[in-house]
Amino acid sequence: MNTNLEINPLDRTFMMQKSSDKELLVQMALDSTSAFEAIYNQYSDDMLIYAMNIFRKKDVCEDVVQNVFIDFWSRRKELKINSLKAYLFQSVKYQIFNQIRNQKLSDEDFTRLKIIDLSMNACRKLEFDELELQINNQVLKLPVRCQQIFVLSRYEHKSNKQIAEELGISIQAVKNQISKALRSIRQNVTKEEWAFFFICLFHFL
């Protein structure tokens, strides 16, 4: 990746040091291109593999990883990151979503996505579980009818037509209630969390 960043010669020694992610983030926020390059070298290969496991087009996945790092550098002074690895991999998934949201994905694509989610490390899995819990709590706050329709769609994986027939309402009414539920949930999660949740949900709507 050509970052077009000129590295200060006095800063090069920093790349040779074993620094924690937090230390690297602090240095990067102070415009250290060496810290940025150290992060890139540490994570970019795994991010590319991760992207290609979801969307098997190498050129697209390479662009995704590059775009993640371009955005990462441009927002270096404003980012508040608890887990650097989780942030970068979430960003990859969000970028992949942007690439595929207008395309029809196969069952294999979604199966692969679920397998990847289940194989995340313990820390990442905990974050996923926390997001699921957060979303479930939001679902419980929905109006009764809205909650009922969303559960039938999201958790029982029924089609809009099946839900409409079961409840004796129109398909459009089902769509309206699902949209209402999604808007409510969207207001209570971050952009990255929403993209992650929506990818997993998309197949069933």
Side-chain angles (χ1 to χ4, degrees), residues 20 64 77 91 95 120 123 142:
S20 70
V64 162
K77 294 184 181 297
S91 297
Q95 289 281 346
M120 291 176 180
C123 178
L142 296 171

Side-chain angles (χ1 to χ4, degrees), residues 81-114:
I81 299 174
N82 293 322
S83 169
L84 177 57
K85 182 176 181 179
Y87 171 83
L88 291 173
F89 279 69
Q90 274 188 333
S91 297
V92 167
K93 185 173 286 188
Y94 178 66
Q95 289 281 346
I96 289 288
F97 169 69
N98 283 339
Q99 293 288 335
I100 65 179
R101 60 183 172 181
N102 293 322
Q103 301 181 35
K104 181 175 177 60
L105 296 185
S106 66
D107 289 338
E108 180 184 357
D109 291 323
F110 283 99
T111 298
R112 190 183 309 121
L113 186 60
K114 291 175 184 177

Side-chain angles (χ1 to χ4, degrees), residues 162-190:
Q162 289 174 321
I163 296 172
E165 291 175 350
E166 181 175 331
L167 299 180
I169 59 178
S170 68
I171 292 177
Q172 187 59 50
V174 172
K175 291 180 179 179
N176 291 343
Q177 290 297 319
I178 292 175
S179 295
K180 181 179 180 180
L182 292 175
R183 283 196 302 271
S184 177
I185 295 170
R186 174 67 184 90
Q187 293 172 357
N188 293 281
V189 296
T190 67

Side-chain angles (χ1 to χ4, degrees), residues 96-152:
I96 289 288
F97 169 69
N98 283 339
Q99 293 288 335
I100 65 179
R101 60 183 172 181
N102 293 322
Q103 301 181 35
K104 181 175 177 60
L105 296 185
S106 66
D107 289 338
E108 180 184 357
D109 291 323
F110 283 99
T111 298
R112 190 183 309 121
L113 186 60
K114 291 175 184 177
I115 290 173
I116 291 169
D117 290 336
L118 292 174
S119 65
M120 291 176 180
N121 60 41
C123 178
R124 185 67 187 87
K125 182 63 169 61
L126 178 60
E127 290 184 2
F128 175 76
D129 290 342
E130 289 174 348
L131 174 58
E132 282 286 286
L133 179 60
Q134 182 181 354
I135 290 171
N136 289 340
N137 287 336
Q138 294 303 318
V139 171
L140 292 175
K141 296 178 182 179
L142 296 171
V144 175
R145 175 65 91 178
C146 185
Q147 180 184 141
Q148 180 185 23
I149 291 173
F150 186 79
V151 168
L152 289 172

